[in-house]
């Protein structure tokens, strides 16, 4: 694509069309942009539009398109073509910083993100001047530019907060500190001075305070891994200024908005975070500053209102106290009982209250409420922070804290009982307090695993939780009902089983509640209870115990999906999946109606898939219905196909990318259940599965390979007779997969199935070419994973076609090749093969080479006979060699660049392990002994003499054991 006006005009037109609400205009424009993004100059054209266009909407659109283009294509993935030319990469890096800093804020943010995506890959090695270019702009004095630099630096450095320690990371952080720490400190001091100069200019203050917030965030990122020497030397500058800012209260920066945090709150909450970081990680160095921070933050907590806009500030301030009170160093600050009472009274109890804002979220924004409350998301809530502070205080002062709070809990419950309809919030706070007091340690899988002995959870359940669950009006006091359900879920590992069994039918009833939070919690609680394990690792709640409620449970779960707001509720879908899994064959009578509901739901969500978890559990539930029903009656597979295929056809034809891998997995499951040949409906689809475009998406590869394996297992003769022209396409897929380090094992899965199932004559003409491809790959990049797969394949080939055929095909490619493969690959590497079936294939294959290949007995290959036997005995007796060469440690990590849908394995579509050798050889060691016996009777004297000369004593001893077990002798 040339850089000319015509192309700029075309690009502008297509960008405009991508904003069109009409999908018939929008989709073709998106497809066009996708089709040209591989061309050289495309990103430069985008940046030119972004810089030169007169239309601001088009400029923003170009910026977003550019950022997404960088996100998808900048990373260079091994084995895949480089999607952006080197010339374009250089031009982008040369211009983007300047362009970002001179653009309006909306565009600046997009370009800043793009720089950090590029920086993640290229900085510092391939983009050494990025930081110096940015730091020099601090001198500009223009805070629009300075904030652009700070924002970009923040998105570039914030990954230091969660990266694992490594030498590369240390070196990068050192480089950043050397270039950045001093100018950042100078900028910090200068900005604070400017705040004093402009103390009465509200517009100037807004810009300066957003700079200070970004500087405080950068401080956090740069100090996270370790305390840098520079910041230790300059701690006085940073900490005294942070402390002053915490105490600052500028009337001009106060906002009237009750919801949205203002600049002052954002800055102060970041400073609380920074202080907590130092208190936790660098407590010795921070000790001189700690008391004044505790005082300042305490004052902040006592004087800050209950409005939502202060939530982040309050929760970070409480988290600071929580991190301080857990450290033995600071224990003395909290020992006085008056201090503890004061903290409980002034900080914890007020922040546990259920505010009107929480009530609004509960009713009108259930999804966000659930994410915050159930999943403990990053949105820090006051309640969560107060709860963490209770846990922190209990570390050293469990007794006093529990007794102070027990008094509060008692009085709250008394208030509630006086007038429940008015005072229900008192009970809500009481339940929350009890939960935070009692919870010491918890896991996602088991709920609370360690509880405070001083709190009687069972009594509380019987007296205060059960009455709410049993209340005949399930829609009354929904918040308390949700609290009660959550209590059961949280303490499920602590409550005795009879309490849980008492709760189950009540939870099933709550699935009908109108409140989204309430019926979602009921579904989630049931799902968690159904996963609990009892003695002997079976489920704690048995199918028999659930039988009386099965019909009601299934009926209520499916009805809950029809309640407004829950049509794609992932918790309900997960509970459906878990109920199927628990009830097993008890669900069979209901499946004819339920499968109709599941497929209808599938058709609806496929139009616009927006909830990945919901969709995943939906497909899992479909797999479970198939598995359980067909286990009882394999013939029902046809009725499942009738129900599902129309929807699957629709998904494949519309190319719903998120669903295609799932469809292939379910189809594999269905096809594997068929006992005879492949039905014609599948055969019609076979040619489409070989289309190269399908294989370009990484997420499709594992399920497609499995589906092709199912075709080969069930219908190889049909493919050979009626679709022989498709065999080259099948082998083309193998060739593509084998060339990629990430997917070569999938190529071998396919090749092994072809070898095992296809009629030999149908692939004779291709065999030599297959081996040549494998050798080319061995020469170009030999990895451990590839060698393991290669060993399994050549031994499977040997089992299938015989040792002579294996030797001949190698030597046909190049004389003496067979010996080279044995000497350089099989003998030294076979120890690395892992997996029961894989080891068995190798053992039987090597046994055939040893005992059924004349060339091993009377040519120059004979010298390899004993080392090969020694390697086989090693495979049987030595531990697996799982060492990986240093340069290969990261090869297997599947990293899908950009937006491609990654492959999501369906647990309930799992493939049974297949043993191609089966019962013909049940014990490979006995099989070796019998085969050696047979060989020695054919050429008496040879085998014992070869063994006595070269085989080491230990291996010989093992071999004697095999011969004895097989009751044979060598002659």
């Amino acid at each position: 694509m040339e850089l000319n006006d015509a192309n700029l005009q075309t690009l502008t037109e297509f960008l405009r069309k991508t904003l069109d609400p009409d999908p018939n205009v929008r989709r073709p424009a998106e497809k066009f942009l996708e089709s040209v993004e591989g061309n050289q100059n495309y990103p430069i054209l985008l940046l030119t539009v972004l810089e030169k266009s007169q239309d601001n909407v088009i400029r923003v659109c170009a910026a977003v398109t550019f950022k997404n283009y960088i996100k998808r294509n900048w990373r260079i993935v091994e084995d895949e073509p480089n999607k952006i030319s080197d010339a374009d990469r250089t031009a982008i890096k040369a211009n983007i910083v300047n362009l970002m800093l001179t653009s309006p804020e909306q565009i600046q943010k997009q370009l800043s993100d793009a720089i950090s995506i590029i920086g993640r890959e290229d900085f510092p090695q391939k983009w050494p001047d990025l930081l110096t270019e940015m730091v020099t702009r601090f001198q500009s004095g223009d805070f629009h530019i300075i904030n652009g630099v700070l924002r970009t630096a923040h998105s570039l450095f914030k990954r230091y907060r969660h990266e694992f320690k490594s030498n590369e990371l240390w070196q990068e952080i050192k480089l950043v500190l050397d270039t950045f720490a001093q100018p950042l400190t100078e900028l910090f001091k200068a900005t604070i001075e400017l705040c004093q100069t402009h103390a009465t200019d509200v517009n100037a203050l807004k810009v300066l305070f957003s700079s200070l917030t970004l500087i405080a965030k950068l401080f956090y990122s740069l100090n996270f891994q370790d305390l840098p020497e520079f910041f230790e030397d300059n701690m006085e500058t940073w900490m005294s200024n942070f402390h002053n800012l915490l105490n600052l209260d500028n009337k001009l920066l106060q906002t009237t908005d009750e919801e949205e945090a203002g600049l002052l709150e954002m800055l102060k909450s970041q400073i609380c975070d920074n202080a907590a970081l130092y208190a936790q990680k660098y407590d010795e160095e921070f000790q001189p500053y700690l008391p004044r921070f505790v005082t300042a933050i305490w004052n902040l907590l006592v004087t800050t209102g209950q409005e939502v806009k202060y939530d982040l500030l309050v929760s970070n301030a409480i988290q600071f106290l929580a991190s301080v009170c857990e450290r033995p160093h600071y224990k003395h600050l909290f020992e006085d009982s008056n201090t503890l009472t004061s903290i409980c009274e002034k900080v914890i109890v007020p922040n546990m209250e259920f505010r009107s804002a929480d009530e609004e979220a509960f009713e009108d924004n259930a999804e966000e409420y659930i994410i915050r409350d159930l999943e403990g998301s990053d949105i820090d809530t006051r309640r969560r922070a107060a709860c963490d502070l209770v846990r922190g205080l209990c570390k050293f002062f469990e007794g006093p804290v529990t007794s102070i709070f027990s008094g509060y809990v008692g009085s709250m419950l008394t208030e509630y009982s006086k007038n429940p309809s008015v005072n229900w919030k008192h009970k809500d706070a009481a339940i929350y307090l009890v939960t935070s007091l009692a919870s010491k340690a918890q896991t996602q899988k088991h709920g609370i695993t360690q509880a405070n002995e001083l709190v009687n959870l069972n009594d509380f359940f019987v007296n205060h939780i059960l009455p709410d669950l049993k209340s005949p009006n399930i829609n009354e006091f929904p918040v308390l009902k949700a609290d009660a359900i959550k209590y059961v879920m949280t303490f499920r590992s602590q409550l005795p089983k009879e309490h849980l069994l008492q709760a189950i039918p009540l939870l099933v009833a709550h699935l009908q509640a109108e409140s989204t939070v309430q019926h979602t919690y009921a579904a989630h609680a049931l799902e968690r209870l159904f996963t609990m394990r009892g003695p002997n690792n079976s489920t704690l709640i048995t199918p028999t115990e659930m039988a009386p409620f099965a019909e009601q449970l299934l009926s209520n779960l499916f009805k809950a999906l029809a309640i407004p707001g829950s049509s794609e509720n992932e918790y309900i879908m997960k509970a459906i999946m878990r109920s199927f899994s628990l009830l097993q064959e008890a669900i069979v009578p209901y499946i004819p109606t339920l499968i109709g509901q599941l497929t209808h739901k599938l058709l609806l969500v496929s139009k616009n898939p927006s909830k990945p978890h919901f969709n995943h559990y939906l497909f899992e539930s479909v797999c479970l219905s198939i598995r359980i029903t067909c286990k009882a009656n394999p013939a029902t597979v046809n009725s499942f196909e009738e129900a599902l295929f129309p929807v699957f056809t629709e998904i494949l034809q519309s190319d719903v990318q998120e669903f295609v891998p799932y469809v292939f997995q379910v189809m594999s499951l269905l096809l594997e259940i068929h006992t005879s040949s492949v039905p014609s409906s599948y055969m019609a689809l076979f040619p489409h599965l070989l289309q190269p475009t399908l294989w370009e998406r990484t997420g499709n590869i594992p399920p497609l390979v499995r589906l092709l394996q199912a075709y080969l297992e069930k219908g190889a003769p049909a493919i050979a007779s009626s679709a022989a022209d498709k065999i080259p396409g099948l082998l083309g897929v193998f060739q593509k997969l084998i060339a990629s380090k990430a997917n070569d094992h999938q190529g071998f899965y396919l090749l092994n199935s072809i070898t095992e199932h296809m009629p030999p004559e149908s692939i004779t003409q291709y065999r030599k070419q297959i081996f040549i491809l494998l050798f080319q790959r061995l020469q170009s990049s030999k990895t451990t994973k590839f060698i393991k797969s290669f060993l399994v394949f050549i031994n499977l080939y040997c089992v299938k076609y015989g040792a002579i055929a294996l030797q001949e095909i190698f030597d046909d490619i190049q004389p003496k090749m067979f010996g080279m493969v044995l000497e350089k690959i099989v003998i030294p590497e076979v120890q690395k093969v892992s997996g029961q079936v894989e080891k068995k294939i190798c053992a039987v294959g090597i046994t055939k080479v040893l005992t059924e290949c004349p060339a091993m007995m009377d040519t120059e290959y004979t010298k390899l006979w004993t080392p090969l036997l020694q390697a086989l005995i090693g495979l049987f007796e030595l531990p697996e060699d799982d060492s990986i060469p240093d340069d290969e440690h990261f090869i297997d990590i599947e990293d899908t660049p950009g937006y491609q849908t990654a492959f999501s394995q369906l647990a309930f579509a799992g493939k049974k392990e297949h043993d191609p050798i089966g019962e013909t050889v049940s014990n490979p060691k006995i099989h070796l002994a019998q085969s050696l016996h047979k060989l020695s009777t054919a050429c008496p004297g040879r085998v014992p003499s070869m063994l006595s000369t070269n085989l080491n004593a230990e291996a010989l001893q093992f071999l004697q054991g095999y011969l004895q077990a097989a009751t044979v002798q060598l002659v």
Side-chain angles (χ1 to χ4, degrees):
M1 290 173 88
E2 296 299 311
L3 275 174
N4 57 35
D5 289 346
N7 279 340
L8 285 172
Q9 188 55 42
T10 310
L11 189 57
T12 305
E13 282 312 307
F14 277 103
L15 286 171
R16 195 182 309 283
K17 284 179 185 167
T18 62
L19 302 172
D20 198 298
D22 178 358
N24 298 322
V25 177
R26 188 178 69 248
R27 290 229 173 90
E30 288 167 350
K31 283 271 184 262
F32 170 78
L33 290 179
E34 214 174 294
S35 70
V36 296
E37 71 173 27
N39 298 347
Q40 190 165 347
N41 287 333
Y42 171 76
I44 311 303
L45 279 164
L46 269 179
L47 289 178
T48 314
V49 169
L50 181 156
E51 189 180 9
K52 304 266 167 74
S53 172
Q54 301 302 307
D55 182 340
N56 206 36
V57 174
I58 292 296
R59 294 183 68 191
V60 173
C61 179
V64 173
T65 308
F66 176 79
K67 180 192 74 179
N68 289 337
Y69 163 82
I70 293 293
K71 200 170 187 174
R72 275 197 305 274
N73 300 312
W74 192 272
R75 173 178 290 176
I76 297 173
V77 180
E78 196 172 11
D79 299 327
E80 288 188 19
N82 179 353
K83 294 174 183 162
I84 304 179
S85 71
D86 289 340
D88 282 352
R89 286 174 186 269
T90 310
I92 289 169
K93 286 192 284 198
N95 296 307
I96 189 167
V97 175
N98 194 39
L99 191 55
M100 182 269 295
L101 295 174
T102 51
S103 298
E105 190 165 342
Q106 231 182 337
I107 294 172
Q108 194 179 71
K109 283 183 174 157
Q110 299 297 331
L111 292 179
S112 170
D113 285 349
I115 292 172
S116 64
I117 295 163
I118 297 171
R120 215 169 295 148
E121 302 299 322
D122 288 18
F123 176 78
Q125 274 77 17
K126 296 184 195 164
W127 202 358
D129 51 356
L130 169 64
L131 264 197
T132 36
E133 187 181 353
M134 286 184 1
V135 167
T136 50
R137 307 301 174 101
F138 283 164
Q139 313 305 323
S140 68
D142 175 345
F143 271 84
H144 173 70
I145 289 179
I146 290 171
N147 278 355
V149 172
L150 292 172
R151 204 175 288 116
T152 307
H154 171 54
S155 58
L156 206 54
F157 304 153
K158 70 177 174 213
R159 67 186 180 85
Y160 301 159
R161 302 173 180 195
H162 43 75
E163 291 269 317
F164 288 121
K165 289 180 164 51
S166 68
N167 276 341
E168 289 83 359
L169 184 68
W170 290 124
Q171 283 163 353
E172 184 181 322
I173 294 177
K174 186 182 180 315
L175 178 102
V176 168
L177 289 164
D178 291 347
T179 318
F180 205 77
Q182 181 69 49
L184 186 71
T185 308
E186 296 307 321
L187 179 68
F188 181 49
K189 293 194 293 199
T191 310
I192 283 177
E193 278 175 28
L194 285 168
C195 287
Q196 285 153 358
T197 317
H198 296 283
T200 55
D201 178 350
V202 67
N203 292 330
L205 284 177
K206 280 181 179 169
V207 177
L208 293 167
F209 268 77
S210 56
S211 306
L212 285 172
T213 305
L214 285 164
I215 291 170
K217 287 180 175 187
L218 284 162
F219 177 90
Y220 189 86
S221 300
L222 295 175
N223 283 274
F224 190 86
Q225 290 281 343
D226 206 350
L227 177 56
E229 197 179 331
F230 177 87
F231 284 106
E232 192 176 349
D233 295 343
N234 288 274
M235 202 182 292
E236 176 58 38
T237 302
W238 284 93
M239 289 304 158
S240 53
N241 280 314
F242 279 160
H243 180 253
N244 294 341
L245 288 168
L246 272 181
N247 290 328
L248 178 83
D249 187 17
N250 189 314
K251 295 283 179 279
L252 293 175
L253 287 170
Q254 287 178 353
T255 55
T256 49
D257 188 333
E258 290 197 359
E259 300 278 320
E260 200 67 37
L263 287 164
L264 206 53
E265 291 80 50
M266 302 219 318
L267 175 61
K268 288 184 179 184
S269 48
Q270 185 57 50
I271 292 172
C272 289
D273 255 357
N274 295 353
L277 176 76
Y278 266 55
Q280 270 175 322
K281 293 184 104 169
Y282 318 122
D283 46 3
E284 221 168 283
E285 294 83 354
F286 188 57
Q287 216 145 7
Y289 302 94
L290 184 91
R292 67 178 103 153
F293 272 90
V294 170
T295 310
I297 288 173
W298 173 257
N299 290 336
L300 197 70
L301 280 169
V302 180
T303 55
T304 302
Q306 284 281 356
E307 291 86 353
V308 174
K309 66 175 172 182
Y310 300 124
D311 283 7
L312 183 65
L313 172 58
V314 170
S315 72
N316 281 0
I318 298 176
Q319 290 290 3
F320 167 78
L321 287 183
S323 59
V324 171
C325 73
E326 279 187 335
R327 317 287 295 177
H329 268 80
Y330 310 134
K331 189 175 153 187
H332 62 278
L333 294 170
F334 299 91
E335 269 168 341
D336 182 10
S337 66
N338 293 336
T339 310
L340 285 174
T341 308
S342 181
I343 290 176
C344 295
E345 199 173 302
K346 295 191 172 139
V347 176
I348 292 169
V349 173
N351 285 301
M352 284 206 173
E353 280 172 16
F354 195 76
R355 299 167 303 165
S356 51
D358 300 315
E359 202 174 343
E360 270 173 42
F362 184 95
E363 288 168 9
D364 305 331
N365 196 350
E367 203 166 327
E368 185 156 311
Y369 181 91
I370 292 163
I371 288 172
R372 276 202 321 230
D373 191 47
L374 264 195
E375 299 176 15
S377 75
D378 299 335
I379 312 160
D380 292 304
T381 59
R382 293 173 181 241
R383 286 191 135 186
R384 183 170 304 282
C387 191
D388 289 345
L389 180 54
V390 173
R391 280 188 203 156
L393 289 169
C394 282
K395 189 168 175 183
F396 294 121
F397 314 106
E398 191 170 48
V401 170
T402 307
S403 69
I404 293 168
F405 276 145
S406 300
Y408 278 111
V409 169
S411 63
M412 286 169 176
L413 290 170
T414 310
E415 281 303 304
Y416 164 74
S417 59
K418 284 179 192 167
N419 188 347
S421 56
V422 174
N423 296 340
W424 61 267
K425 287 185 183 178
H426 289 284
K427 180 167 183 180
D428 167 80
I431 297 175
Y432 207 89
L433 254 179
V434 169
T435 306
S436 48
L437 264 181
S439 320
K440 275 187 164 179
Q442 79 184 91
T443 64
Q444 197 66 38
K445 192 172 172 188
H446 303 292
I448 297 297
T449 51
Q450 202 185 345
N452 176 342
E453 261 83 77
L454 308 171
V455 181
N456 189 328
L457 292 168
N458 287 339
D459 282 3
F460 195 81
F461 173 78
V462 173
N463 298 327
H464 303 290
I465 299 295
L466 206 51
D468 281 345
L469 290 176
K470 282 182 166 170
S471 139
N473 180 352
I474 56 166
N475 292 317
E476 188 185 27
F477 304 136
V479 175
L480 293 183
K481 300 278 200 306
D483 288 340
I485 296 169
K486 192 179 168 196
Y487 184 93
V488 175
M489 185 163 53
T490 308
F491 296 111
R492 60 186 181 274
S493 296
Q494 257 57 43
L495 295 169
K497 183 173 172 178
E498 61 269 21
H499 284 351
L500 300 179
L501 286 172
Q502 216 178 344
I504 283 175
L506 304 171
L507 293 172
V508 171
H510 282 277
L511 290 168
Q512 294 278 273
E514 288 160 13
S515 154
T516 305
V517 176
Q518 194 180 334
H519 63 243
T520 301
Y521 280 20
H524 187 48
L526 286 165
E527 189 273 328
R528 293 286 82 196
L529 293 179
F530 293 167
T531 53
M532 291 176 75
R533 296 279 159 195
N536 69 35
N537 208 28
S538 58
T539 53
L540 178 70
I541 312 289
T542 65
T544 320
E545 287 164 336
M546 276 310 295
F549 319 118
E551 188 166 346
Q552 201 56 53
L553 168 71
L554 296 171
S555 161
N556 285 7
L557 280 167
F558 276 89
K559 278 186 197 159
L561 285 176
I563 300 172
S566 276
S567 62
E568 291 182 40
N569 185 321
E570 65 185 67
Y571 293 97
I572 298 175
M573 203 67 237
K574 193 176 187 184
I576 290 174
M577 171 190 86
R578 201 68 71 196
S579 305
F580 282 8
S581 172
L582 176 75
L583 293 166
Q584 288 293 325
E585 57 275 9
I587 66 166
V588 173
Y590 310 108
I591 287 299
T593 44
L594 297 183
I595 197 71
Q597 296 183 10
L598 289 171
T599 42
H600 178 62
K601 183 60 80 179
L602 187 53
L603 189 60
L604 290 178
V605 294
S606 68
K607 302 281 185 257
N608 181 20
S610 55
K611 296 280 184 70
H613 289 108
F614 177 85
N615 300 336
H616 188 87
Y617 300 134
L618 173 57
F619 276 103
E620 290 281 23
S621 303
V622 169
C623 291
L624 273 163
S625 345
I626 296 170
R627 224 174 236 284
I628 294 166
T629 314
C630 294
K631 187 178 167 189
N633 177 5
T636 51
V637 69
N638 299 320
S639 46
F640 279 108
E641 287 164 352
E642 277 169 29
L644 290 164
F645 274 23
V647 187
F648 286 178
T649 311
E650 177 96 359
I651 290 170
L652 295 174
Q653 282 173 348
S654 316
D655 190 22
V656 184
Q657 292 196 16
E658 298 88 331
F659 282 7
V660 169
Y662 288 130
V663 167
F664 292 149
Q665 288 178 79
V666 180
M667 287 183 68
S668 305
L669 179 64
L670 290 164
L671 186 50
E672 285 158 10
I673 291 167
H674 278 277
T675 42
S676 51
S677 59
V678 176
S680 57
S681 51
Y682 287 88
M683 284 311 288
L685 183 67
F686 182 69
H688 301 287
L689 301 178
L690 305 174
Q691 287 171 352
T693 45
L694 271 181
W695 294 87
E696 274 161 22
R697 288 186 216 141
T698 27
N700 285 349
I701 291 173
L704 262 178
V705 167
R706 176 178 167 192
L707 183 53
L708 289 179
Q709 284 184 287
Y711 271 92
L712 289 162
E713 186 190 331
K714 300 290 177 185
I719 293 172
S721 58
S722 63
D725 56 330
K726 297 294 173 279
I727 295 174
L730 195 57
L731 293 168
V733 168
F734 151 74
Q735 183 173 356
K736 178 181 165 57
L737 294 173
I738 217 80
S740 144
K741 282 185 186 169
N743 297 315
D744 50 17
H745 61 294
Q746 297 284 351
F748 276 112
Y749 292 159
L750 192 56
L751 181 58
N752 292 346
S753 287
I754 293 172
T755 308
E756 185 186 347
H757 299 295
M758 286 297 278
E761 63 286 356
S762 65
I763 54 166
T764 309
Q765 56 181 325
Y766 307 110
R767 278 187 213 161
K768 187 171 177 181
Q769 188 52 38
I770 289 172
F771 277 88
I772 290 170
L773 284 171
L774 295 176
F775 281 122
Q776 285 169 344
R777 169 64 211 273
L778 268 173
Q779 282 171 324
S780 65
S781 61
K782 185 171 94 170
T783 65
T784 304
K785 176 159 77 93
F786 185 86
I787 285 175
K788 283 159 70 168
S789 301
F790 177 74
L791 284 168
V792 174
F793 164 67
I794 59 172
N795 283 299
L796 180 67
Y797 187 92
C798 178
V799 172
K800 175 83 180 175
Y801 296 114
I804 298 173
L806 184 69
Q807 177 244 318
E808 284 175 350
I809 198 158
F810 279 137
D811 288 347
D812 188 25
I813 291 170
Q814 190 185 317
K816 301 184 185 161
M817 173 74 96
F818 182 60
M820 282 189 275
V821 171
L822 289 179
E823 190 176 1
K824 298 281 193 303
I825 298 175
V826 181
I827 293 168
E829 305 283 9
V830 76
Q831 205 60 49
K832 291 198 164 123
V833 172
S834 52
Q836 284 305 109
V837 174
E838 288 81 355
K839 286 183 169 179
K840 182 176 174 183
I841 292 170
C842 289
V844 176
I846 292 172
T847 300
K848 277 187 175 294
V849 172
L850 287 166
T851 61
E852 295 175 19
C853 179
M856 288 299 288
M857 297 302 285
D858 43 26
T859 65
E860 62 200 81
Y861 294 156
T862 312
K863 65 178 189 294
L864 298 170
W865 193 91
T866 322
L868 183 61
L869 177 61
Q870 176 108 10
L872 175 55
I873 295 170
L875 177 68
F876 287 144
E877 305 298 346
L878 293 172
E880 184 185 311
D881 172 9
D882 53 8
S883 62
I884 295 179
D886 286 346
D887 56 346
E888 254 182 62
H889 274 293
F890 300 105
I891 282 172
D892 290 357
I893 296 171
E894 184 65 80
D895 209 343
T896 8
Y899 289 131
Q900 289 200 357
T901 330
F903 166 57
S904 299
Q905 172 86 50
L906 289 169
F908 293 111
K911 187 173 193 251
K912 290 198 287 290
E913 190 165 48
H914 168 65
D915 177 359
I917 295 165
E919 289 309 305
T920 47
V921 175
S922 53
N923 182 333
K925 296 178 183 177
I926 304 268
H927 176 67
L928 170 65
Q930 289 166 338
S931 304
L932 286 172
H933 167 70
K934 203 165 147 190
L935 176 68
S936 75
T937 49
C939 37
R942 286 287 303 277
V943 177
S945 76
M946 291 201 294
L947 293 178
S948 58
T949 48
N950 295 343
L951 197 66
N952 77 22
E954 204 180 350
L956 195 54
Q957 203 175 346
F958 281 123
L959 185 59
Q960 298 296 350
Y962 308 159
L963 293 163
Q964 271 169 0
T967 61
V968 293
Q969 288 179 329
L970 302 179
V971 291

